[in-house]
Amino acid sequence: MSELYVSVSPHIRSPRTTQTIMRDVLIALCSALIASCIIFGARALLVSAVCVAASVLFEFLYQKGTKQPVTISDCSAAVTGLILAMNLPVTIPLWQAVFGCLVAIIVVKQLFGGLGKNPAIVGRVVLFLAFSGSMTNWVFPDAVSTATPLALISKGALDQLPSLWHAFLGWEGGCLGETCSLALIAGGIYLIVRKVITWHIPVAFVGTVFVLTALLGQQPVYQVLSGGLLLGAIFMATDYVTSPPTPWGKVIFGIGCGLITVLIRVWGSYPEGVSFAILFMNILNPYITSWTRNKPIGGVNP
């Protein structure tokens, strides 16, 4: 006769761990990292390596200093560093990149409770507000400073836009990981196949931006292929803790991100609004989750 085991929930367990999930994210980001090195040169690899190393080091030192278990082996700090690097221009001074890692790991991640606070986005926003000159020093692959496609659209200089093919491959000015749409889409497909993320947020986010900019006559294809839209929709808006767990919640979250992004891009003072949009929707995440949570069988609404 088999024994009866009684235990507390959860009763359904998965072999997937934080480490395996973060490892998959790192693998998915490799395509964007390789593309950035091809487009912008060896310094792209240097900036990425510095961000990853600084993030891991800051997490190790903080946890050692506060006598907490050291969790750098779960790869979450490395993911934060690499995502932050993908949001930086290749010309960023290395000390500023390290400062961004300090903000992301110590201030956002550790002081606010650990994993799942979207630290890379906050690090990028702080760097953007503190060092706007460095953060907007876009360099074209031929080492000539230039405006990004979003800036050109904002100024109405449509005749200066790169070809759609060049925009798709990333042969344009921008942050390290945001220019090559092909690499980002490949990484997104990998994450969906591995079931690390679902399609809901990326499709709702990108689809909303495309539809609204098409209605407003704002070059919808360039709006999708340029700036941090694909990077944000695939790798940042899908953060487990700061996005809704329910399918309809994810769709609402993605639509909200897309709406705010378009509002900032079209009428705001900044040509890009992806990071601000995601952060704002993160605030609404608990409410969206509550509105779309499934009612248990036999349960009664309060």
Side-chain angles (χ1 to χ4, degrees), residues 62 103-117 122:
Y62 180 88
V103 172
I105 295 296
I106 302 298
V107 178
V108 181
K109 184 180 180 184
Q110 295 300 331
L111 294 182
F112 280 88
L115 191 66
K117 302 297 183 295
V122 180

Side-chain angles (χ1 to χ4, degrees), residues 132-169:
S132 58
S134 300
M135 287 293 290
T136 55
N137 183 25
W138 312 119
V139 173
F140 196 70
D142 59 6
V144 177
S145 295
T146 184
T148 63
L150 291 181
L152 294 173
I153 294 172
S154 180
K155 294 189 298 184
L158 302 183
D159 58 318
Q160 300 178 33
L161 287 171
S163 68
L164 287 175
W165 180 244
H166 280 177
F168 181 67
L169 295 180

Side-chain angles (χ1 to χ4, degrees), residues 31 80 86 120 122 125 135 165 210 222-223 226 274 294-295 302:
S31 57
T80 296
M86 295 295 99
V122 180
V125 170
M135 287 293 290
W165 180 244
F210 181 88
Y222 282 103
Q223 294 281 355
S226 304
V274 170
N294 294 329
K295 185 179 73 173

Side-chain angles (χ1 to χ4, degrees), residues 187-250:
I189 292 173
Y190 174 82
L191 291 179
I192 292 174
V193 171
R194 292 285 296 169
K195 297 182 179 180
V196 174
I197 66 173
T198 65
W199 60 268
H200 302 81
I201 290 177
V203 170
F205 196 162
V206 174
T208 300
V209 171
F210 181 88
V211 171
L212 291 180
T213 52
L215 293 174
L216 295 170
Q218 294 291 320
Q219 303 295 318
V221 179
Y222 282 103
Q223 294 281 355
V224 170
L225 298 181
S226 304
L229 179 59
L230 292 177
L231 178 64
I234 295 169
F235 292 99
M236 296 187 287
T238 53
D239 178 76
Y240 282 7
V241 177
T242 54
S243 63
T246 61
W248 275 112
K250 294 178 188 293

Side-chain angles (χ1 to χ4, degrees), residues 258-276:
L259 175 61
I260 297 171
T261 297
V262 172
L263 290 174
I264 295 174
R265 284 186 175 186
V266 177
W267 290 290
S269 57
Y270 300 126
E272 179 59 289
V274 170
S275 296
F276 294 103

Side-chain angles (χ1 to χ4, degrees), residues 11-33:
H11 303 296
I12 300 176
R13 299 180 181 274
S14 169
R16 180 167 290 174
T17 63
T18 299
Q19 185 184 59
T20 60
I21 292 171
M22 294 300 164
R23 188 171 61 227
D24 277 335
V25 176
L26 288 174
I27 293 172
L29 283 167
C30 282
S31 57
L33 176 61

